[in-house]
Amino acid sequence: MGDRYNIFSQMEHLQSKYVGTGHSDTTKWEWMTNQHRDTLASYLGHHDLLTYIAIAENESKARVRFNLLDKMFQPCGPPPDRPNVD
């Protein structure tokens, strides 16, 4: 029983420390937004990937970086309406 409690407390700690790990109340939109932002951040962080994308799109690296940063604002569109819980 103590082992099970320890695992759950470790999961809660990870979920509070890292936003992208999700939790039981994470919506599909939040999860997809985290995935897209992680992917875009990876593209920005790896110079070779950024260069590859710039060559493929026939754009400058600065323009590709700007476009990727712009996509990070709302990568999956605006959040869906939540039902009122009264």
Side-chain angles (χ1 to χ4, degrees):
M1 184 68 169
D3 210 21
R4 186 177 200 187
Y5 176 74
N6 190 18
I7 291 171
F8 285 127
S9 66
Q10 288 176 358
M11 283 179 28
E12 287 177 4
H13 175 70
L14 281 175
Q15 290 166 350
S16 67
K17 189 174 179 183
Y18 301 107
V19 176
T21 56
H23 49 79
S24 61
D25 296 329
T26 301
T27 63
K28 181 179 178 181
W29 181 84
E30 290 171 336
W31 185 81
M32 286 299 296
T33 300
N34 287 333
Q35 293 298 316
H36 282 277
R37 285 185 179 149
D38 286 348
T39 301
L40 294 171
S42 178
Y43 293 159
L44 289 170
H46 292 90
H47 181 70
D48 294 337
L49 280 173
L50 190 64
T51 303
Y52 178 79
I53 294 170
I55 291 171
E57 292 182 355
N58 197 23
E59 293 280 352
S60 68
K61 288 191 286 186
R63 171 56 63 184
V64 171
R65 182 181 303 274
F66 175 79
N67 289 340
L68 291 175
L69 285 171
D70 193 40
K71 285 181 186 178
M72 287 179 84
F73 178 63
Q74 282 188 338
C76 298
D81 295 333
R82 292 189 177 196
N84 291 336
V85 180
D86 291 332

